[in-house]
Amino acid sequence: MIKTVHFVYFVFLALILTSCGSSLSIPIQNISLADQHASIPTKLLKAKIDFLTKKGISIGQQDPTAYGIGWKASSKDRYRSDMEDVMGKYPAVQGWDLGHIELGRNINLDTVSFELMRRKIIEGNKRGAITTLSWHLNNPQSNGSSWDTTSAVKTILKEGLNRPKYVEWVSKLADYIKSVKDENGNAIPMVFRPYHEMNGGWFWWGSASCTPEEYKALYRDFVRLLADFDVHNLLYAYSPNTLNNPQEYERFYPGDDFVDILGIDIYNHGGDSNFAEKLQEDLKVVRQFAQTHNKPFALTETGNVAPGNTQWWTQILYPGIHETGIAWVLLWRNARKDHYFGIYSEEASATDFKTFAKKEDILFLEDIDQFTFKPQTKTQ
Ligand code: BMA
């Protein structure tokens, strides 16, 4: 009887603590990051990612609250996302792209206004989401897009011809990243994935346009430049595309001192059975690499490029990510009916997504927002 009373009391206490949103104390002096001067909130974000990885897989999407299929947010609209329209839950991880910030534009390459993006990141952060950033910047040599593979990396490093222009581009990026602040004036901590999918040949920083050594130099230089511009609110992610062979993961790796999170982007361009195989093989490679290098890892981009299987979420994606140890999976953007990677109302696999969402290890914003983190004080 006494035992039962104690147990009930314990459960009651646990519930109170959870509902009060008690903060977990983190010994931040043990956290060392690519940016040696990373802010305390940034260290706490790293702790949050480590903590949540043990709880399950956080579901994310790119541009989730800026637009969806058939709608585009304005700053006055309610906080909306296609995922929430379908099932009442927001993505836990919210990705954004800063392409064209380097040109001083007001909107990014996908017509998201940088002002709106700032507001949405601030609101997402307030609600407990993890923010990730990518940068589809133009080619500094040709002024073409990210997909213009004209050789450019050499021209922006060291004394290269385009160095001053590139440094200016990075300074514009830095200004924006620093301007995204919470209500207390602290720059919001975010995960940045510079120069992603480098093992593919489609970007100017990709394997068709520079050597692995040049790539590593580019990545390291980028991390140093941002620190020089006083950006201290970023974790850095390394994020190759589907591997052609296991060794490829390491080929462009800039080193443990420059990377906080390991990632990989895998889509089903080669069909679903090939996708299932790649998830199994490549996530194993990344997991082993992550264990050796003691870093969390994530499926930093994915999605169904050929929707048709209405059970894709439970039959294909879930078996491929369940028990892999990934921290999150980020679905790419819901741009148009012929270019979307999540679900939306009336989408054929939306019902299956709801079943997928009920799995115990699948986490949405409402599953992670009660966990807050604070630095451990000396007396604790
Ligand atoms: C790609 C596509 C493009 C987009 C780019 C950057 O994968 O979605 O339409 O411009 O990402 O977001």
Side-chain angles (χ1 to χ4, degrees):
M1 179 62 188
I2 288 176
K3 271 191 184 150
T4 315
V5 169
H6 277 162
F7 179 72
V8 169
Y9 175 73
F10 174 77
V11 171
F12 182 65
L13 195 71
L15 279 175
I16 290 180
L17 284 173
T18 316
S19 59
C20 291
S22 68
S23 280
L24 288 127
S25 296
I26 306 296
I28 54 166
Q29 64 280 6
N30 299 340
I31 301 176
S32 93
L33 298 174
D35 174 12
Q36 287 164 16
H37 300 287
S39 67
I40 293 173
T42 309
K43 292 185 174 178
L44 294 176
L45 174 61
K46 170 67 169 45
K48 174 170 170 165
I49 290 168
D50 287 336
F51 175 85
L52 291 175
T53 304
K54 293 190 196 103
K55 301 245 162 241
I57 302 171
S58 297
I59 298 301
Q61 188 162 23
Q62 185 74 358
D63 291 347
T65 55
Y67 58 83
I69 304 299
W71 63 274
K72 197 164 177 171
S74 81
S75 51
K76 286 181 224 92
D77 291 341
R78 73 174 185 90
Y79 195 63
R80 181 175 181 187
S81 86
D82 275 347
M83 228 178 252
E84 196 261 346
D85 276 2
V86 169
M87 48 177 284
K89 293 181 182 183
Y90 294 98
V93 179
Q94 306 188 352
W96 303 94
D97 196 277
L98 299 176
H100 290 183
I101 195 92
E102 72 280 6
L103 308 177
R105 301 254 171 94
N106 294 328
I107 57 169
N108 83 350
L109 78 164
D110 299 319
T111 73
V112 178
S113 116
F114 287 114
E115 181 51 43
L116 181 86
M117 191 188 295
R118 186 188 289 111
R119 284 169 192 254
K120 296 297 176 189
I121 295 175
I122 293 169
E123 169 127 35
N125 179 68
K126 197 171 171 185
R127 289 169 178 255
I130 295 169
T131 303
T132 71
L133 298 173
S134 50
W135 190 23
H136 284 84
L137 72 165
N138 272 7
N139 182 316
Q141 168 65 19
S142 65
N143 292 317
S145 73
S146 284
W147 293 267
D148 179 332
T149 53
T150 307
S151 161
V153 173
K154 252 193 283 197
T155 75
I156 58 179
L157 295 175
K158 293 189 184 144
E159 322 281 73
L161 198 63
N162 294 314
R163 178 72 179 171
K165 174 178 172 178
Y166 177 66
V167 172
E168 177 64 27
W169 282 10
V170 177
S171 87
K172 289 201 176 101
L173 177 87
D175 286 346
Y176 184 79
I177 292 171
K178 287 188 287 187
S179 77
V180 186
K181 294 181 179 161
D182 67 14
E183 57 202 4
N184 302 317
N186 294 318
I188 291 175
M190 302 179 268
V191 178
F192 199 106
R193 308 187 286 134
Y195 302 114
H196 61 299
E197 300 177 3
M198 78 304 294
N199 56 329
W202 44 88
F203 293 134
W204 59 259
W205 57 86
S207 62
S209 310
C210 67
T211 65
E213 285 318 308
E214 284 165 353
Y215 177 84
K216 291 179 202 173
L218 173 75
Y219 194 112
R220 292 173 188 145
D221 175 67
F222 179 76
V223 173
R224 288 193 198 108
L225 269 178
L226 283 181
D228 288 349
F229 284 124
D230 290 325
V231 172
H232 299 302
N233 54 321
L234 295 181
L235 298 174
Y236 290 92
Y238 168 69
S239 186
N241 195 62
T242 307
L243 304 174
N244 295 300
N245 56 65
Q247 296 74 34
E248 203 176 58
Y249 194 76
E250 189 155 21
R251 203 151 152 236
F252 304 86
Y253 187 58
D256 282 348
D257 292 347
F258 295 87
V259 173
D260 301 307
I261 294 166
L262 298 163
I264 188 159
D265 294 0
I266 308 176
Y267 288 88
N268 62 346
H269 291 288
D272 279 343
S273 55
N274 172 266
F275 176 66
E277 251 169 59
K278 291 317 288 176
L279 281 180
Q280 204 181 23
E281 286 170 12
D282 289 1
L283 289 179
K284 195 170 157 202
V285 172
V286 185
R287 182 173 60 233
Q288 277 166 0
F289 196 86
Q291 275 162 1
T292 315
H293 296 257
N294 192 26
K295 297 184 193 293
F297 65 106
L299 183 52
T300 37
E301 277 185 39
T302 194
N304 188 356
V305 298
N309 180 352
T310 55
Q311 320 239 289
W312 193 79
W313 307 100
T314 55
Q315 285 183 357
I316 308 294
L317 184 65
Y318 185 69
I321 58 174
H322 176 57
E323 288 187 343
T324 54
I326 55 172
W328 72 79
V329 41
L330 184 126
L331 307 171
W332 203 241
R333 62 201 200 100
N334 273 12
R336 316 173 287 275
K337 282 197 175 168
D338 62 355
H339 189 74
Y340 70 91
F341 300 87
I343 33 92
Y344 58 92
S345 308
E346 292 115 46
E347 203 275 339
S349 66
T351 308
D352 187 59
F353 188 87
K354 287 189 218 169
T355 311
F356 162 77
K358 285 198 193 108
K359 310 271 185 194
E360 219 181 316
D361 54 341
I362 296 299
L363 310 175
F364 290 85
L365 185 54
E366 65 174 34
D367 304 309
I368 71 163
D369 63 2
Q370 74 266 35
F371 302 113
T372 56
F373 301 81
K374 62 178 185 203
Q376 194 175 63
T377 55
K378 284 208 178 95
T379 48
Q380 279 170 322

